[in-house]
Amino acid sequence: MHDAPDSASVTGVPTAAPEAASPGDVAFAAELATGAGELLLKLREEMGFADPKALKAAGDNRANDYLLGRVAAERPGDAVLSEEGKGEAGRIGTERLSADRVWIIDPLDGTREYSEAGRDDWAVHVALWERGHGLTASAVALPAQGVTLRTDEVYAVPAPREGKPRIAVSRTRPPAEAEAVAAALGAELVPMGSAGAKVMAVVAGTVDAYVHAGGQFEWDSAAPVGVALASGWHATRIDGAPLRYNNADPYLPDLLVCRPDLAGPALEAIKGTN
């Protein structure tokens, strides 16, 4: 990545997978995310980077059509909340708020990075929310890094790094909350692209935390949070409240994903900014 001192690629080998509540759904989520990612890589090659706006639009639309088509064909009774559908056109089969199963997808998380040659910090998010259970199956593809992380694999929390902790933040607008956490922990801020890439960098151990308070929607965080929680990482709102999905208003503006041992100090530092 251009802005980070080192890559957020996942290089470790996952430990034993946890008991999966719905292994077929996890496999389907991973297949969808990986397939959309492959499509996006091919489109990048075909179109090049001369017209970033056109590449962004084409990537969003093609990946969204692919994902919605697969869900409609293979999970016809399920509903969908997609970034490109804005919760309306993205619904399939049943009303989202009364549905028992809702796929929450972001066809292309990090359009800016996708449209810049050489960047690999963009992602595809696919998550399944089930009534009474929350997020049950999630997958995040990092196509340009050649990996897809999923909730039926556990990526162990590594030992604390030597030296300064590292906090992933937006490339353009690090929030005051992240700066407060960095000051409290003696950490360095690491600019990075998409939300999915940032959360997966935490899971990979490349960074120790991701603090966001600048406004997001459910599709920005559902799949990454599902993967992080399945591996034992801390993931909450920045006030410590649980992250809840399939709400009437999909606006979910903030989150903290970090090593469990950093959660207390990070939340305390954030509290001081309010």
Side-chain angles (χ1 to χ4, degrees):
M1 297 179 186
H2 296 175
D3 293 321
D6 54 46
S7 172
S9 296
V10 179
T11 56
V13 177
T15 62
E19 181 179 352
S22 48
D25 287 327
V26 178
F28 184 56
E31 184 179 337
L32 290 185
T34 301
E38 291 172 350
L39 180 155
L40 288 166
L41 288 173
K42 291 178 182 177
L43 184 63
R44 239 184 171 193
E45 293 178 0
E46 293 169 4
M47 294 185 65
F49 302 93
D51 188 344
K53 185 176 180 180
L55 180 58
K56 292 176 186 178
D60 268 333
N61 291 333
R62 291 200 194 179
N64 191 60
D65 288 347
Y66 168 82
L67 292 169
L68 295 188
R70 289 288 304 273
V71 173
E74 300 174 55
R75 298 291 193 279
D78 295 353
V80 174
L81 173 61
S82 168
E83 176 181 17
E84 297 311 302
K86 298 298 185 286
E88 296 300 328
R91 293 183 305 200
I92 293 179
T94 59
E95 291 292 330
R96 174 173 70 85
L97 297 179
S98 61
D100 290 330
R101 290 165 52 93
V102 181
W103 293 92
I104 304 176
I105 64 175
D106 191 340
L108 174 51
D109 182 56
T111 53
R112 174 185 174 187
E113 289 73 29
Y114 176 69
S115 68
E116 296 179 11
R119 295 204 70 96
D120 63 4
D121 47 347
W122 51 277
V124 178
H125 302 174
V126 178
L128 175 64
W129 173 93
E130 295 188 77
R131 188 171 303 282
H133 301 283
L135 300 174
T136 58
S138 298
V140 177
L142 301 171
Q145 298 179 27
V147 295
T148 298
L149 286 81
R150 44 196 283 176
T151 49
D152 59 356
E153 295 179 342
V154 175
Y155 301 88
V157 179
R161 74 176 64 253
E162 296 182 6
K164 294 182 177 181
R166 308 178 76 214
I167 301 175
V169 294
S170 168
R171 294 171 62 191
T172 56
R173 52 187 186 282
E177 290 83 354
E179 294 175 347
V181 173
L185 300 180
E188 63 175 311
L189 300 181
V190 183
M192 203 174 289
S194 80
K198 294 186 189 78
V199 177
M200 295 305 95
V202 176
V203 172
T206 303
V207 297
D208 302 286
Y210 168 38
V211 182
H212 181 82
Q216 287 183 345
F217 291 86
E218 291 186 12
W219 46 77
D220 292 306
S221 66
V225 163
V227 171
L229 289 174
S231 289
W233 300 85
H234 174 91
T236 63
R237 301 286 300 271
I238 59 172
D239 63 357
L243 289 155
R244 302 190 185 282
Y245 295 90
N246 197 36
N247 300 294
D249 181 356
Y251 187 59
L252 192 59
D254 57 76
L255 79 162
L256 166 67
V257 181
C258 66
R259 302 174 51 86
D261 57 295
L262 297 181
L267 290 169
E268 191 64 28
I270 292 170
K271 187 186 301 183
T273 66
N274 298 326

